[in-house]
Amino acid sequence: MVVWHVQKPWLKQNLPYRSANFPLLGYNSAGGGNAWRARRPPQSVPANYQVDVNERYFGTVIFYHKYRGYGFIEATEADIPTEKVFVHWKQISSDDRFPFLVKGLEVEFSLMTWKDWQRGLNTLRAKNVTLVGGLNVALQDELDANEKLFVGGQHLRYTGTLKFYSPRHGFGYVIMDQGYDVDPSVPGELRVDHEEVNAAGQQPVHMRNIAVEFGIYRNERGQYKVYNMTLQGGHPLTQDALENRISMGIGTYRGAVAFWNWRQGYGFIRPDPSTILPEKVMARLAEQAEAARRRGKRIAEDSLLYFRKADVSPDLNPIQGTQVGFQVYVDDKGAGACEVTR
């Protein structure tokens, strides 16, 4: 990829668009104008524009950056008011451990409106992106089979201990259990990159000293690395699994956001006074409040339910006071809210 570096002030009007949602993109001279058009930020829609949440649309992926996790779909329907629709990896319905799309792939999707706070505009985003016909996107295994050189085969699994994984830095290290008959050039400690952490399509979390299983591949530089790392038994490394989250059923409760830390992506919900939570949830709330008091923390309310950004509907900004519906769960840390919607 040839990157065009702008160094003169009079060329600033040609700088690629950059924001939190659209990282700086280089100009691909090989692709010409079409490549540049595919990377431009999406057009805006009126503030009062309404989408039919039940309508499904069809289109073709015209650009996707796998490791930045976003791209654009060109819709075939003429009634969509923009020439292309932004898609984020979290909105891809995928069987891949690292959800992504490829240029030229035909897909179907729903729409949602999105507020671009940096530009002060409303845009459209794709949600629930699938293959045509509603099937989950599943590209990774086939691409890996053609691109990677595996130690013992693509589906051969080894066990070991994850020393650590840092989501901030995007890598970690695994110590392989002894006793495997592998080439002496394969080290006992292997690096795992973020795209090989199987978190079932979720953002991997910080992890340390966890029993895992994995494959091994050798990259083009001759380095051996971890492939498709999971918990032992093949279970994805989701935060729910790591904390032993247990759902308390699909019943929906009502409440309001009591606190939201948007920087760190967590908050608390205050259930409505008339809401009757399951007994197990109430017991875990009392336990976690008592444990916090023993650690010297001041707890104003015992009934506040913890929730994370990953548990919030994409079209909901959970600012303090927002009325929400939610489901509940218990885990090793106590009780919390999930499936949080407006």
Side-chain angles (χ1 to χ4, degrees):
M1 177 176 180
V2 179
V3 180
W4 179 46
H5 295 284
V6 179
Q7 297 176 336
K8 298 181 180 181
W10 54 270
L11 286 175
K12 285 185 177 179
Q13 67 269 25
N14 292 321
L15 277 170
Y17 177 76
R18 185 179 189 177
S19 76
N21 289 330
F22 304 95
L24 183 63
L25 297 171
Y27 181 81
N28 187 337
S29 60
N34 289 334
W36 180 242
R37 181 181 68 83
R39 291 161 171 78
R40 289 201 312 261
Q43 299 166 294
S44 63
V45 295
N48 61 351
Y49 183 82
Q50 298 291 322
V51 299
D52 184 347
V53 296
N54 297 315
E55 184 68 25
R56 297 289 284 170
Y57 302 89
F58 299 89
T60 303
V61 178
I62 57 174
F63 169 78
Y64 195 86
H65 196 298
K66 178 178 179 180
Y67 297 112
R68 288 177 177 169
Y70 75 93
F72 297 101
I73 298 171
E74 188 171 61
T76 57
E77 283 80 0
D79 57 342
I80 295 180
T82 59
E83 64 179 15
K84 62 183 181 181
V85 180
F86 180 87
V87 55
H88 189 268
W89 70 268
K90 290 185 178 180
Q91 294 302 324
I92 302 172
S93 298
S94 176
D95 292 332
D96 294 324
R97 59 191 176 280
F98 189 74
F100 67 100
L101 303 172
V102 293
K103 182 179 178 180
L105 185 68
E106 294 185 351
V107 295
E108 69 174 73
F109 56 95
S110 300
L111 287 175
M112 64 180 178
T113 55
W114 188 269
K115 182 70 173 181
D116 184 341
W117 296 102
Q118 182 160 335
R119 295 195 297 161
L121 301 173
N122 293 293
T123 62
L124 293 179
R125 286 194 173 192
K127 70 175 184 179
N128 189 21
V129 181
T130 68
L131 298 176
V132 175
L135 296 175
N136 283 357
V137 177
L139 306 172
Q140 197 162 6
D141 283 350
E142 183 176 352
L143 290 176
D144 288 344
N146 295 325
E147 297 175 356
K148 286 182 166 59
L149 180 62
F150 295 96
V151 174
Q154 183 176 9
H155 302 294
L156 183 62
R157 306 292 282 169
Y158 303 88
T159 60
T161 301
L162 176 65
K163 290 177 59 178
F164 78 91
Y165 173 78
S166 169
R168 177 182 178 184
H169 297 96
F171 70 90
Y173 283 91
V174 173
I175 299 176
M176 183 168 56
D177 289 340
Q178 296 182 355
Y180 288 105
D181 183 17
V182 296
D183 190 277
S185 62
V186 179
E189 185 171 314
L190 299 153
R191 173 169 166 143
V192 55
D193 293 319
H194 71 288
E195 63 266 25
E196 297 303 337
V197 178
N198 189 333
Q202 302 177 23
Q203 185 71 27
V205 298
H206 192 279
M207 295 174 282
R208 187 179 296 273
N209 297 325
I210 296 174
V212 294
E213 70 174 55
F214 52 92
I216 302 174
Y217 74 98
R218 190 176 69 184
N219 65 14
E220 64 277 4
R221 297 182 180 178
Q223 300 168 322
Y224 292 97
K225 292 189 174 185
V226 166
Y227 173 74
N228 188 15
M229 182 178 69
T230 67
L231 288 169
Q232 291 189 6
H235 302 291
L237 286 155
T238 63
Q239 192 158 27
D240 295 356
L242 294 170
E243 296 177 354
N244 296 313
R245 179 184 290 196
I246 301 173
S247 172
M248 292 290 100
I250 61 174
T252 300
Y253 305 89
R254 297 177 63 88
V257 176
F259 170 79
W260 173 243
N261 185 324
W262 64 272
R263 290 184 181 276
Q264 298 186 26
Y266 77 92
F268 291 92
I269 291 174
R270 180 183 294 111
D272 284 349
S274 60
T275 295
I276 301 177
L277 297 174
E279 291 184 7
K280 185 174 289 188
V281 171
M282 296 300 297
R284 296 307 296 271
L285 286 173
E287 291 172 6
Q288 71 183 24
E290 181 58 30
R293 291 190 179 97
R294 287 197 298 268
R295 295 194 300 269
K297 293 187 177 182
R298 297 179 59 186
I299 305 297
E301 300 179 56
D302 291 359
S303 61
L304 295 182
L305 289 160
Y306 176 84
F307 72 100
R308 301 187 184 96
K309 184 178 181 180
D311 292 313
V312 179
S313 173
D315 58 351
L316 172 63
N317 183 18
I319 59 175
Q320 184 175 350
T322 302
Q323 297 293 315
V324 294
F326 57 90
Q327 296 176 14
V328 292
Y329 66 88
V330 296
D331 62 16
D332 291 345
K333 294 185 176 181
C338 59
E339 301 296 331
V340 181
T341 58
R342 188 177 301 280

mmCIF file of all heavy atoms in Angstrom, residues 66-67 96-98 100-103 139-151 153-154 195-196 216-223 225 227:
data_model
loop_
_atom_site.group_PDB
_atom_site.id
_atom_site.type_symbol
_atom_site.label_atom_id
_atom_site.label_comp_id
_atom_site.label_asym_id
_atom_site.label_seq_id
_atom_site.Cartn_x
_atom_site.Cartn_y
_atom_site.Cartn_z
ATOM 1 N N LYS A 66 -9.538 -5.089 8.357
ATOM 2 C CA LYS A 66 -9.747 -6.166 9.324
ATOM 3 C C LYS A 66 -9.267 -5.790 10.718
ATOM 4 O O LYS A 66 -9.970 -6.003 11.709
ATOM 5 C CB LYS A 66 -9.039 -7.425 8.840
ATOM 6 C CG LYS A 66 -9.155 -8.615 9.794
ATOM 7 C CD LYS A 66 -8.480 -9.852 9.228
ATOM 8 C CE LYS A 66 -8.570 -11.021 10.199
ATOM 9 N NZ LYS A 66 -7.923 -12.244 9.666
ATOM 10 N N TYR A 67 -8.060 -5.248 10.831
ATOM 11 C CA TYR A 67 -7.480 -5.062 12.152
ATOM 12 C C TYR A 67 -7.926 -3.771 12.825
ATOM 13 O O TYR A 67 -7.749 -3.614 14.022
ATOM 14 C CB TYR A 67 -5.952 -5.146 12.062
ATOM 15 C CG TYR A 67 -5.528 -6.516 11.604
ATOM 16 C CD1 TYR A 67 -4.939 -6.705 10.362
ATOM 17 C CD2 TYR A 67 -5.784 -7.634 12.385
ATOM 18 C CE1 TYR A 67 -4.603 -7.977 9.924
ATOM 19 C CE2 TYR A 67 -5.454 -8.905 11.956
ATOM 20 C CZ TYR A 67 -4.853 -9.067 10.725
ATOM 21 O OH TYR A 67 -4.534 -10.319 10.293
ATOM 22 N N ASP A 96 -16.804 -16.534 13.215
ATOM 23 C CA ASP A 96 -15.364 -16.367 13.330
ATOM 24 C C ASP A 96 -15.002 -15.840 14.710
ATOM 25 O O ASP A 96 -15.752 -15.071 15.312
ATOM 26 C CB ASP A 96 -14.852 -15.390 12.269
ATOM 27 C CG ASP A 96 -15.009 -15.939 10.863
ATOM 28 O OD1 ASP A 96 -14.841 -17.156 10.696
ATOM 29 O OD2 ASP A 96 -15.304 -15.152 9.950
ATOM 30 N N ARG A 97 -13.833 -16.214 15.202
ATOM 31 C CA ARG A 97 -13.384 -15.718 16.508
ATOM 32 C C ARG A 97 -13.006 -14.244 16.438
ATOM 33 O O ARG A 97 -12.962 -13.556 17.445
ATOM 34 C CB ARG A 97 -12.187 -16.542 16.987
ATOM 35 C CG ARG A 97 -11.011 -16.518 16.043
ATOM 36 C CD ARG A 97 -9.968 -17.559 16.442
ATOM 37 N NE ARG A 97 -8.855 -17.615 15.484
ATOM 38 C CZ ARG A 97 -8.903 -18.254 14.332
ATOM 39 N NH1 ARG A 97 -9.997 -18.910 14.002
ATOM 40 N NH2 ARG A 97 -7.865 -18.267 13.509
ATOM 41 N N PHE A 98 -12.709 -13.765 15.229
ATOM 42 C CA PHE A 98 -12.325 -12.367 15.015
ATOM 43 C C PHE A 98 -13.174 -11.853 13.852
ATOM 44 O O PHE A 98 -12.762 -11.905 12.712
ATOM 45 C CB PHE A 98 -10.828 -12.295 14.683
ATOM 46 C CG PHE A 98 -10.276 -10.909 14.653
ATOM 47 C CD1 PHE A 98 -10.070 -10.210 15.827
ATOM 48 C CD2 PHE A 98 -9.938 -10.309 13.457
ATOM 49 C CE1 PHE A 98 -9.546 -8.925 15.798
ATOM 50 C CE2 PHE A 98 -9.414 -9.029 13.416
ATOM 51 C CZ PHE A 98 -9.210 -8.341 14.593
ATOM 52 N N PHE A 100 -14.944 -10.305 10.780
ATOM 53 C CA PHE A 100 -14.486 -9.376 9.756
ATOM 54 C C PHE A 100 -15.215 -9.660 8.454
ATOM 55 O O PHE A 100 -15.880 -10.690 8.297
ATOM 56 C CB PHE A 100 -12.965 -9.484 9.557
ATOM 57 C CG PHE A 100 -12.511 -10.791 8.972
ATOM 58 C CD1 PHE A 100 -12.213 -10.904 7.624
ATOM 59 C CD2 PHE A 100 -12.384 -11.922 9.770
ATOM 60 C CE1 PHE A 100 -11.790 -12.106 7.077
ATOM 61 C CE2 PHE A 100 -11.961 -13.135 9.236
ATOM 62 C CZ PHE A 100 -11.668 -13.228 7.879
ATOM 63 N N LEU A 101 -15.079 -8.735 7.514
ATOM 64 C CA LEU A 101 -15.635 -8.870 6.178
ATOM 65 C C LEU A 101 -14.503 -8.719 5.167
ATOM 66 O O LEU A 101 -13.396 -8.308 5.530
ATOM 67 C CB LEU A 101 -16.709 -7.804 5.925
ATOM 68 C CG LEU A 101 -17.883 -7.768 6.916
ATOM 69 C CD1 LEU A 101 -18.756 -6.545 6.644
ATOM 70 C CD2 LEU A 101 -18.707 -9.047 6.832
ATOM 71 N N VAL A 102 -14.771 -9.030 3.918
ATOM 72 C CA VAL A 102 -13.786 -8.850 2.858
ATOM 73 C C VAL A 102 -14.448 -8.105 1.701
ATOM 74 O O VAL A 102 -15.661 -8.203 1.485
ATOM 75 C CB VAL A 102 -13.215 -10.194 2.363
ATOM 76 C CG1 VAL A 102 -12.393 -10.870 3.447
ATOM 77 C CG2 VAL A 102 -14.323 -11.125 1.879
ATOM 78 N N LYS A 103 -13.643 -7.364 0.985
ATOM 79 C CA LYS A 103 -14.135 -6.596 -0.154
ATOM 80 C C LYS A 103 -14.780 -7.529 -1.175
ATOM 81 O O LYS A 103 -14.243 -8.592 -1.506
ATOM 82 C CB LYS A 103 -12.979 -5.827 -0.793
ATOM 83 C CG LYS A 103 -13.395 -4.949 -1.964
ATOM 84 C CD LYS A 103 -12.203 -4.197 -2.523
ATOM 85 C CE LYS A 103 -12.614 -3.347 -3.725
ATOM 86 N NZ LYS A 103 -11.457 -2.605 -4.299
ATOM 87 N N LEU A 139 -15.519 -16.798 7.629
ATOM 88 C CA LEU A 139 -14.463 -16.678 6.630
ATOM 89 C C LEU A 139 -13.100 -17.129 7.130
ATOM 90 O O LEU A 139 -12.234 -17.508 6.344
ATOM 91 C CB LEU A 139 -14.346 -15.213 6.175
ATOM 92 C CG LEU A 139 -15.609 -14.520 5.665
ATOM 93 C CD1 LEU A 139 -15.321 -13.042 5.452
ATOM 94 C CD2 LEU A 139 -16.092 -15.166 4.388
ATOM 95 N N GLN A 140 -12.906 -17.090 8.441
ATOM 96 C CA GLN A 140 -11.562 -17.160 8.982
ATOM 97 C C GLN A 140 -10.868 -18.502 8.758
ATOM 98 O O GLN A 140 -9.700 -18.553 8.356
ATOM 99 C CB GLN A 140 -11.590 -16.837 10.478
ATOM 100 C CG GLN A 140 -10.238 -16.486 11.046
ATOM 101 C CD GLN A 140 -10.355 -15.753 12.367
ATOM 102 O OE1 GLN A 140 -11.437 -15.602 12.922
ATOM 103 N NE2 GLN A 140 -9.228 -15.294 12.868
ATOM 104 N N ASP A 141 -11.550 -19.604 9.010
ATOM 105 C CA ASP A 141 -10.905 -20.915 8.894
ATOM 106 C C ASP A 141 -10.403 -21.183 7.476
ATOM 107 O O ASP A 141 -9.293 -21.686 7.281
ATOM 108 C CB ASP A 141 -11.866 -22.022 9.325
ATOM 109 C CG ASP A 141 -12.006 -22.112 10.837
ATOM 110 O OD1 ASP A 141 -11.218 -21.455 11.543
ATOM 111 O OD2 ASP A 141 -12.916 -22.829 11.306
ATOM 112 N N GLU A 142 -11.233 -20.845 6.498
ATOM 113 C CA GLU A 142 -10.832 -21.103 5.107
ATOM 114 C C GLU A 142 -9.651 -20.229 4.695
ATOM 115 O O GLU A 142 -8.710 -20.698 4.039
ATOM 116 C CB GLU A 142 -12.016 -20.854 4.170
ATOM 117 C CG GLU A 142 -11.721 -21.172 2.717
ATOM 118 C CD GLU A 142 -12.935 -21.020 1.819
ATOM 119 O OE1 GLU A 142 -14.052 -20.814 2.347
ATOM 120 O OE2 GLU A 142 -12.758 -21.099 0.593
ATOM 121 N N LEU A 143 -9.679 -18.950 5.086
ATOM 122 C CA LEU A 143 -8.560 -18.067 4.766
ATOM 123 C C LEU A 143 -7.286 -18.519 5.461
ATOM 124 O O LEU A 143 -6.204 -18.508 4.875
ATOM 125 C CB LEU A 143 -8.908 -16.629 5.167
ATOM 126 C CG LEU A 143 -9.970 -15.933 4.323
ATOM 127 C CD1 LEU A 143 -10.286 -14.557 4.888
ATOM 128 C CD2 LEU A 143 -9.514 -15.812 2.878
ATOM 129 N N ASP A 144 -7.412 -18.926 6.729
ATOM 130 C CA ASP A 144 -6.238 -19.396 7.469
ATOM 131 C C ASP A 144 -5.638 -20.642 6.825
ATOM 132 O O ASP A 144 -4.417 -20.809 6.772
ATOM 133 C CB ASP A 144 -6.612 -19.704 8.924
ATOM 134 C CG ASP A 144 -6.864 -18.440 9.731
ATOM 135 O OD1 ASP A 144 -6.475 -17.362 9.267
ATOM 136 O OD2 ASP A 144 -7.464 -18.545 10.818
ATOM 137 N N ALA A 145 -6.496 -21.550 6.347
ATOM 138 C CA ALA A 145 -6.008 -22.784 5.723
ATOM 139 C C ALA A 145 -5.155 -22.488 4.503
ATOM 140 O O ALA A 145 -4.207 -23.224 4.197
ATOM 141 C CB ALA A 145 -7.188 -23.673 5.342
ATOM 142 N N ASN A 146 -5.448 -21.399 3.810
ATOM 143 C CA ASN A 146 -4.705 -21.044 2.605
ATOM 144 C C ASN A 146 -3.483 -20.177 2.893
ATOM 145 O O ASN A 146 -2.562 -20.121 2.075
ATOM 146 C CB ASN A 146 -5.630 -20.300 1.630
ATOM 147 C CG ASN A 146 -6.750 -21.177 1.114
ATOM 148 O OD1 ASN A 146 -6.569 -22.375 0.910
ATOM 149 N ND2 ASN A 146 -7.921 -20.590 0.912
ATOM 150 N N GLU A 147 -3.480 -19.491 4.037
ATOM 151 C CA GLU A 147 -2.448 -18.493 4.291
ATOM 152 C C GLU A 147 -1.439 -18.889 5.358
ATOM 153 O O GLU A 147 -0.314 -18.387 5.361
ATOM 154 C CB GLU A 147 -3.105 -17.167 4.700
ATOM 155 C CG GLU A 147 -3.970 -16.544 3.623
ATOM 156 C CD GLU A 147 -4.688 -15.297 4.106
ATOM 157 O OE1 GLU A 147 -4.553 -14.976 5.305
ATOM 158 O OE2 GLU A 147 -5.366 -14.657 3.286
ATOM 159 N N LYS A 148 -1.786 -19.790 6.288
ATOM 160 C CA LYS A 148 -0.926 -20.081 7.427
ATOM 161 C C LYS A 148 -0.253 -21.454 7.293
ATOM 162 O O LYS A 148 -0.825 -22.393 6.731
ATOM 163 C CB LYS A 148 -1.724 -20.014 8.741
ATOM 164 C CG LYS A 148 -2.068 -18.604 9.185
ATOM 165 C CD LYS A 148 -2.817 -18.619 10.515
ATOM 166 C CE LYS A 148 -2.881 -17.245 11.157
ATOM 167 N NZ LYS A 148 -3.537 -16.241 10.333
ATOM 168 N N LEU A 149 0.959 -21.542 7.842
ATOM 169 C CA LEU A 149 1.693 -22.800 7.899
ATOM 170 C C LEU A 149 1.610 -23.320 9.328
ATOM 171 O O LEU A 149 2.199 -22.743 10.247
ATOM 172 C CB LEU A 149 3.150 -22.582 7.490
ATOM 173 C CG LEU A 149 4.055 -23.829 7.493
ATOM 174 C CD1 LEU A 149 3.541 -24.853 6.482
ATOM 175 C CD2 LEU A 149 5.494 -23.437 7.173
ATOM 176 N N PHE A 150 0.867 -24.416 9.530
ATOM 177 C CA PHE A 150 0.571 -24.898 10.872
ATOM 178 C C PHE A 150 1.563 -25.959 11.332
ATOM 179 O O PHE A 150 2.107 -26.714 10.524
ATOM 180 C CB PHE A 150 -0.851 -25.465 10.932
ATOM 181 C CG PHE A 150 -1.920 -24.439 10.707
ATOM 182 C CD1 PHE A 150 -2.469 -24.270 9.447
ATOM 183 C CD2 PHE A 150 -2.352 -23.630 11.745
ATOM 184 C CE1 PHE A 150 -3.448 -23.317 9.227
ATOM 185 C CE2 PHE A 150 -3.328 -22.673 11.536
ATOM 186 C CZ PHE A 150 -3.875 -22.515 10.280
ATOM 187 N N VAL A 151 1.758 -26.016 12.646
ATOM 188 C CA VAL A 151 2.560 -27.065 13.264
ATOM 189 C C VAL A 151 1.629 -28.218 13.602
ATOM 190 O O VAL A 151 0.808 -28.124 14.519
ATOM 191 C CB VAL A 151 3.265 -26.546 14.539
ATOM 192 C CG1 VAL A 151 3.991 -27.691 15.255
ATOM 193 C CG2 VAL A 151 4.249 -25.434 14.189
ATOM 194 N N GLY A 153 -0.867 -29.309 11.806
ATOM 195 C CA GLY A 153 -2.189 -29.210 11.184
ATOM 196 C C GLY A 153 -3.035 -28.115 11.814
ATOM 197 O O GLY A 153 -2.858 -27.743 12.973
ATOM 198 N N GLN A 154 -4.002 -27.621 11.034
ATOM 199 C CA GLN A 154 -4.823 -26.498 11.462
ATOM 200 C C GLN A 154 -5.662 -26.816 12.690
ATOM 201 O O GLN A 154 -5.926 -25.936 13.513
ATOM 202 C CB GLN A 154 -5.729 -26.046 10.309
ATOM 203 C CG GLN A 154 -6.587 -24.823 10.636
ATOM 204 C CD GLN A 154 -7.393 -24.353 9.436
ATOM 205 O OE1 GLN A 154 -7.448 -25.034 8.412
ATOM 206 N NE2 GLN A 154 -8.015 -23.190 9.551
ATOM 207 N N GLU A 195 -5.806 -11.107 17.257
ATOM 208 C CA GLU A 195 -6.713 -11.765 16.309
ATOM 209 C C GLU A 195 -6.813 -13.260 16.531
ATOM 210 O O GLU A 195 -7.697 -13.901 15.970
ATOM 211 C CB GLU A 195 -6.282 -11.471 14.867
ATOM 212 C CG GLU A 195 -4.926 -12.002 14.492
ATOM 213 C CD GLU A 195 -3.820 -10.976 14.677
ATOM 214 O OE1 GLU A 195 -3.999 -10.057 15.498
ATOM 215 O OE2 GLU A 195 -2.794 -11.104 13.985
ATOM 216 N N GLU A 196 -5.929 -13.825 17.358
ATOM 217 C CA GLU A 196 -5.980 -15.259 17.643
ATOM 218 C C GLU A 196 -6.574 -15.569 19.018
ATOM 219 O O GLU A 196 -6.562 -16.726 19.446
ATOM 220 C CB GLU A 196 -4.581 -15.868 17.528
ATOM 221 C CG GLU A 196 -3.989 -15.769 16.132
ATOM 222 C CD GLU A 196 -4.847 -16.415 15.056
ATOM 223 O OE1 GLU A 196 -5.656 -17.299 15.386
ATOM 224 O OE2 GLU A 196 -4.718 -16.024 13.876
ATOM 225 N N ILE A 216 -0.742 -23.946 16.725
ATOM 226 C CA ILE A 216 0.513 -23.217 16.525
ATOM 227 C C ILE A 216 0.737 -23.045 15.023
ATOM 228 O O ILE A 216 0.515 -23.977 14.239
ATOM 229 C CB ILE A 216 1.718 -23.962 17.141
ATOM 230 C CG1 ILE A 216 1.503 -24.187 18.636
ATOM 231 C CG2 ILE A 216 3.021 -23.192 16.904
ATOM 232 C CD1 ILE A 216 2.593 -25.039 19.290
ATOM 233 N N TYR A 217 1.150 -21.856 14.619
ATOM 234 C CA TYR A 217 1.506 -21.629 13.224
ATOM 235 C C TYR A 217 2.822 -20.863 13.147
ATOM 236 O O TYR A 217 3.268 -20.259 14.135
ATOM 237 C CB TYR A 217 0.400 -20.862 12.488
ATOM 238 C CG TYR A 217 0.304 -19.391 12.829
ATOM 239 C CD1 TYR A 217 0.892 -18.427 12.003
ATOM 240 C CD2 TYR A 217 -0.379 -18.954 13.961
ATOM 241 C CE1 TYR A 217 0.805 -17.077 12.308
ATOM 242 C CE2 TYR A 217 -0.476 -17.607 14.254
ATOM 243 C CZ TYR A 217 0.119 -16.675 13.433
ATOM 244 O OH TYR A 217 0.033 -15.341 13.734
ATOM 245 N N ARG A 218 3.432 -20.906 11.990
ATOM 246 C CA ARG A 218 4.673 -20.167 11.750
ATOM 247 C C ARG A 218 4.415 -19.086 10.718
ATOM 248 O O ARG A 218 3.879 -19.365 9.633
ATOM 249 C CB ARG A 218 5.779 -21.108 11.254
ATOM 250 C CG ARG A 218 7.166 -20.448 11.229
ATOM 251 C CD ARG A 218 8.236 -21.446 10.834
ATOM 252 N NE ARG A 218 8.104 -21.828 9.431
ATOM 253 C CZ ARG A 218 8.866 -22.752 8.837
ATOM 254 N NH1 ARG A 218 9.767 -23.409 9.549
ATOM 255 N NH2 ARG A 218 8.696 -23.041 7.564
ATOM 256 N N ASN A 219 4.760 -17.847 11.049
ATOM 257 C CA ASN A 219 4.490 -16.742 10.124
ATOM 258 C C ASN A 219 5.594 -16.626 9.078
ATOM 259 O O ASN A 219 6.538 -17.423 9.047
ATOM 260 C CB ASN A 219 4.288 -15.431 10.887
ATOM 261 C CG ASN A 219 5.555 -14.957 11.614
ATOM 262 O OD1 ASN A 219 6.662 -15.449 11.360
ATOM 263 N ND2 ASN A 219 5.388 -14.009 12.519
ATOM 264 N N GLU A 220 5.469 -15.626 8.218
ATOM 265 C CA GLU A 220 6.400 -15.478 7.099
ATOM 266 C C GLU A 220 7.815 -15.137 7.554
ATOM 267 O O GLU A 220 8.772 -15.287 6.794
ATOM 268 C CB GLU A 220 5.879 -14.404 6.122
ATOM 269 C CG GLU A 220 5.793 -12.998 6.693
ATOM 270 C CD GLU A 220 4.517 -12.777 7.475
ATOM 271 O OE1 GLU A 220 3.738 -13.748 7.626
ATOM 272 O OE2 GLU A 220 4.291 -11.640 7.930
ATOM 273 N N ARG A 221 7.958 -14.684 8.800
ATOM 274 C CA ARG A 221 9.287 -14.385 9.332
ATOM 275 C C ARG A 221 9.899 -15.591 10.046
ATOM 276 O O ARG A 221 10.981 -15.479 10.612
ATOM 277 C CB ARG A 221 9.207 -13.209 10.295
ATOM 278 C CG ARG A 221 8.760 -11.901 9.655
ATOM 279 C CD ARG A 221 8.748 -10.791 10.663
ATOM 280 N NE ARG A 221 8.332 -9.523 10.063
ATOM 281 C CZ ARG A 221 8.204 -8.374 10.745
ATOM 282 N NH1 ARG A 221 8.462 -8.367 12.055
ATOM 283 N NH2 ARG A 221 7.835 -7.275 10.137
ATOM 284 N N GLY A 222 9.184 -16.699 10.038
ATOM 285 C CA GLY A 222 9.690 -17.886 10.692
ATOM 286 C C GLY A 222 9.419 -17.940 12.181
ATOM 287 O O GLY A 222 9.933 -18.818 12.881
ATOM 288 N N GLN A 223 8.570 -17.034 12.681
ATOM 289 C CA GLN A 223 8.236 -17.001 14.111
ATOM 290 C C GLN A 223 7.041 -17.914 14.384
ATOM 291 O O GLN A 223 6.071 -17.933 13.622
ATOM 292 C CB GLN A 223 7.896 -15.569 14.536
ATOM 293 C CG GLN A 223 9.023 -14.573 14.324
ATOM 294 C CD GLN A 223 8.552 -13.140 14.469
ATOM 295 O OE1 GLN A 223 7.446 -12.784 14.060
ATOM 296 N NE2 GLN A 223 9.391 -12.303 15.057
ATOM 297 N N LYS A 225 3.769 -18.850 16.525
ATOM 298 C CA LYS A 225 2.793 -18.102 17.303
ATOM 299 C C LYS A 225 1.561 -18.966 17.608
ATOM 300 O O LYS A 225 1.320 -19.988 16.962
ATOM 301 C CB LYS A 225 2.360 -16.828 16.567
ATOM 302 C CG LYS A 225 3.452 -15.779 16.448
ATOM 303 C CD LYS A 225 2.896 -14.475 15.924
ATOM 304 C CE LYS A 225 3.941 -13.385 15.928
ATOM 305 N NZ LYS A 225 3.365 -12.084 15.518
ATOM 306 N N TYR A 227 -2.314 -19.987 17.719
ATOM 307 C CA TYR A 227 -3.429 -19.915 16.775
ATOM 308 C C TYR A 227 -4.726 -20.306 17.479
ATOM 309 O O TYR A 227 -4.789 -21.323 18.172
ATOM 310 C CB TYR A 227 -3.168 -20.867 15.601
ATOM 311 C CG TYR A 227 -4.325 -21.008 14.636
ATOM 312 C CD1 TYR A 227 -4.639 -19.988 13.752
ATOM 313 C CD2 TYR A 227 -5.087 -22.172 14.600
ATOM 314 C CE1 TYR A 227 -5.690 -20.119 12.858
ATOM 315 C CE2 TYR A 227 -6.136 -22.318 13.703
ATOM 316 C CZ TYR A 227 -6.436 -21.285 12.835
ATOM 317 O OH TYR A 227 -7.480 -21.409 11.952
#
